[in-house]
Amino acid sequence: MPPKRNRASKEDSVRVKNDTNTKIKSKAVSNKRKSNTDDHEEPTAKRVKKVAKPVLNKIDTDLNEINFDCSKLNAIGNKYNLKISSWNVSGIRAVIKKNGMDYILKEDADIVALQETKCDKNKLPEEVKLKGYHYYFFESKKPGYSGVALYTKEKPVNIKYGLDNAEFDNEGRLITAEYPNFYLLNAYVPNAGQKLVTLPKRLKWNEVFKDYVKDLDKKKPVIICGDLNVAHQEIDLKNPKTNTKNAGFTKEEREGMTDFLDAGFVDTFRALYPDKADAYTFWSYFANARSKNIGWRLDYFLVSKQIKDNVCDNVIRDEVYGSDHCPIVLYINL
Amino acid sequence: MPPKRNRASKEDSVRVKNDTNTKIKSKAVSNKRKSNTDDHEEPTAKRVKKVAKPVLNKIDTDLNEINFDCSKLNAIGNKYNLKISSWNVSGIRAVIKKNGMDYILKEDADIVALQETKCDKNKLPEEVKLKGYHYYFFESKKPGYSGVALYTKEKPVNIKYGLDNAEFDNEGRLITAEYPNFYLLNAYVPNAGQKLVTLPKRLKWNEVFKDYVKDLDKKKPVIICGDLNVAHQEIDLKNPKTNTKNAGFTKEEREGMTDFLDAGFVDTFRALYPDKADAYTFWSYFANARSKNIGWRLDYFLVSKQIKDNVCDNVIRDEVYGSDHCPIVLYINL
DNA sequence: CGTTGAAGG
DNA sequence: CCTTAAACG
């Protein structure tokens, strides 16, 4: 069983105090006023809450049902010696309330990369402290917006926040951890926005980020993970036809991804499973998309070409709820 | 038992889907990286939620424990033939979620006056429709702010929204219902604000309102109910000494109340119970004030002097939770 | 639809 | 402390 935290039960009901001293029950006096209901202005909204809570916050089975290990060998014939988990939590405090840290502890990855933490450093609850990990939070200047975090068992040689760009570094979108034999980048790529209002900003990021990573790649192999906010190909989302003008599947964003990969990187999931459809990491909260698996693959592990054969597996943990994204896990031998 | 609505249980937990097809449990590979936790920047906020939810949303007993009838006779010797309930709900949608409408139905008053409904007409949920009542909502132009509602079994001769003052009528603070033999006024009086920033506005209200009511009082007797946002005398709040500079107990607000009563009205609760202490209708949500009964009497029934002897009783329903105010009930014979 | 801060109480 | 609307996704 996953450790359960003490949490208050939310019994939302009008309460009645227990010290009533007037218990005489008599029939209410008959009332001369007769009621008929007709002419008032009608309320238009339907109900306070639609029907039932989305299944999202309910436990069906427990985390022990998941196999967190991996027996697959990589192309070189080695088992993994490094496990990395990446998860867009869409608000770390909300995920904590849903016992999301239990998943992280159970996964027991060597490195955990979180995106959209949406929490100022001084508001981080105690629960973010995970024993056995060094952790690093990079927040946005805009409170409650964006933000990334990195947990790592081994202390990195160096930690760098941002990519030396004032605009993006104000938004807590990138942590670079340098290890002896590789760089690990945790990225939360700008969303192109409703009606693509921030597509220009996004394309600017693509350029700045590519330049930044190419420089690193000259020194050591690079592992990039996070929410890259693009479904690369048609296979990477349920409804490619109707989303070509929507954030995450525009021609520009898709070409940006292709362009990035052409610079010498591999989408590990697609490399391992070239034809696997219906494999998504994000589902809109709208219209119960997740239960119908109407999703997008927006979260990735990209690795430098030189270490692509080191990858053992890339797993999508779509059994894990708590956010509109699910975690993804990379097993690699480095 | 009060009728329970179908509501989703809020089991806030990270959920795991029930279709895991990989159940091989093998020991995680031993990891060469050793962990030691020391140097990261410390989170400063303590916990996500303090300790436990305030008792406010929990049912202890049920509404059947309350005696909603009244056998007391008024000074003329008559039992009541009219029951009026007044409740500052502090958000009608929140109260509905806590089954607050069950209280209203159980009380079964002839007239129900609500304050701080905080809901645009087009966002009112279905649950505001109560069978057997005509209802009238007066909203603020500022969404989610102020707003009053009136439920009445007998259809009034006339309904008037506001008091012909542009400033106050934009804020949904007053409904006047004219009945054959009296006026019923449902008022949500402006709060003087943090550091008394809106005390001038409040004092302006006092003048405008007094003039308005005095005019009505010349025609028919008046019953005023609602959140008058003042504790009149020291007996009307737990901590009079420390609150003389705070909204609700300033000299100006208290004198405003005295001044209003001097115009020919009676505070029915205090008239019936001149020395009753610890009788409050509001408790701050801060510091568990309600469980310690650190409260204020801010909600009133005021009646024209000419009908003061018609009053049978004025009850404070402090057993009813769901808001930071509790309901009050007037039993009268008219 | 769900998370967040901000205003208001 | 609690409710709400607005921004963002």
Side-chain angles (χ1 to χ4, degrees), chain B residues 94-124:
Chain B
V95 158
I96 285 172
K97 288 186 200 162
K98 298 176 220 167
N99 297 335
M101 299 318 253
D102 290 352
Y103 156 69
I104 296 175
L105 290 171
K106 279 279 181 184
E107 184 70 80
D108 193 33
D110 300 290
I111 301 171
V112 182
L114 306 181
Q115 304 89 38
E116 283 205 271
T117 46
K118 295 184 176 182
C119 189
D120 289 355
K121 267 208 184 65
N122 61 0
K123 290 188 175 178
L124 286 171

Side-chain angles (χ1 to χ4, degrees), chain B residues 179-241:
Chain B
Y179 292 93
N181 53 340
F182 66 97
Y183 289 102
L184 185 281
L185 277 66
N186 175 18
Y188 172 53
V189 173
N191 189 299
Q194 299 290 111
K195 311 202 99 214
L196 306 176
V197 282
T198 46
L199 181 58
K201 168 183 167 185
R202 158 59 171 276
L203 300 178
K204 174 89 179 298
W205 164 279
N206 284 353
E207 294 312 311
V208 173
F209 184 67
K210 187 177 62 176
D211 291 346
Y212 175 76
V213 180
K214 279 169 76 175
D215 277 352
L216 291 181
D217 191 42
K218 288 170 194 160
K219 304 179 200 163
K220 293 180 193 177
V222 170
I223 302 174
I224 299 152
C225 69
D227 176 359
L228 306 189
N229 253 322
V230 62
H232 188 202
Q233 306 293 5
E234 297 209 338
I235 195 175
D236 294 316
L237 74 168
K238 176 69 85 181
N239 296 314
K241 302 302 178 200

Side-chain angles (χ1 to χ4, degrees), chain A residues 7-18 20 22-29 31-49 52-53 55-67 69 79-82 93 95-100 110 121-136 153-155 161 181-182 318-322 334, chain B residues 7-18 20 22-29 31-49 52-53 55-67 69 79-82 87 93 95-100 110 121-136 153-155 161 182 318-322 334:
Chain A
R7 292 177 44 260
S9 68
K10 194 161 184 176
E11 255 283 12
D12 285 338
S13 293
V14 168
R15 176 197 166 186
V16 169
K17 234 171 45 180
N18 211 346
T20 47
T22 52
K23 299 214 184 190
I24 321 102
K25 300 250 170 62
S26 54
K27 191 92 189 76
V29 293
N31 200 301
K32 67 177 178 191
R33 290 178 183 76
K34 270 289 143 265
S35 60
N36 58 332
T37 316
D38 33 49
D39 62 342
H40 27 57
E41 296 133 74
E42 291 289 308
T44 58
K46 284 300 153 267
R47 312 210 106 242
V48 163
K49 276 286 176 189
K53 283 285 296 180
V55 284
L56 208 133
N57 294 327
K58 196 169 143 283
I59 282 186
D60 277 355
T61 66
D62 77 61
L63 291 162
N64 288 326
E65 302 282 321
I66 302 176
N67 174 23
D69 195 14
K79 204 178 166 184
Y80 80 95
N81 65 355
L82 174 66
R93 282 167 294 179
V95 157
I96 285 171
K97 287 187 201 164
K98 299 176 219 169
N99 297 334
D110 300 288
K121 268 208 183 64
N122 61 1
K123 291 188 174 179
L124 286 171
E126 277 298 308
E127 286 89 337
V128 302
K129 295 183 180 173
L130 291 188
K131 217 178 158 193
Y133 287 99
H134 307 260
Y135 41 80
Y136 307 90
K153 289 186 177 178
E154 178 179 326
K155 187 173 179 177
Y161 299 101
N181 52 341
F182 67 97
D318 61 357
E319 321 94 317
V320 176
Y321 283 61
L334 277 180
Chain B
R7 289 179 46 261
S9 68
K10 194 162 183 173
E11 254 285 9
D12 284 339
S13 293
V14 168
R15 174 198 167 185
V16 169
K17 234 173 42 180
N18 210 345
T20 46
T22 53
K23 300 216 181 185
I24 322 104
K25 300 250 169 62
S26 55
K27 189 93 192 74
V29 292
N31 200 301
K32 68 181 178 190
R33 291 178 180 78
K34 272 286 142 269
S35 63
N36 58 334
T37 315
D38 33 48
D39 62 343
H40 27 58
E41 296 134 73
E42 291 290 310
T44 57
K46 285 298 154 268
R47 313 209 105 242
V48 164
K49 276 285 174 188
K53 283 286 295 180
V55 284
L56 206 132
N57 294 326
K58 198 168 142 285
I59 282 188
D60 277 354
T61 68
D62 76 62
L63 290 163
N64 289 325
E65 302 284 320
I66 302 176
N67 174 22
D69 195 14
K79 202 176 167 185
Y80 79 95
N81 64 355
L82 173 67
W87 192 14
R93 283 167 294 179
V95 158
I96 285 172
K97 288 186 200 162
K98 298 176 220 167
N99 297 335
D110 300 290
K121 267 208 184 65
N122 61 0
K123 290 188 175 178
L124 286 171
E126 276 298 308
E127 287 88 336
V128 302
K129 295 183 181 174
L130 291 188
K131 218 179 156 192
Y133 286 99
H134 306 260
Y135 40 82
Y136 306 90
K153 290 186 178 178
E154 177 179 328
K155 187 172 179 177
Y161 299 102
F182 66 97
D318 62 357
E319 321 95 317
V320 175
Y321 282 62
L334 276 182

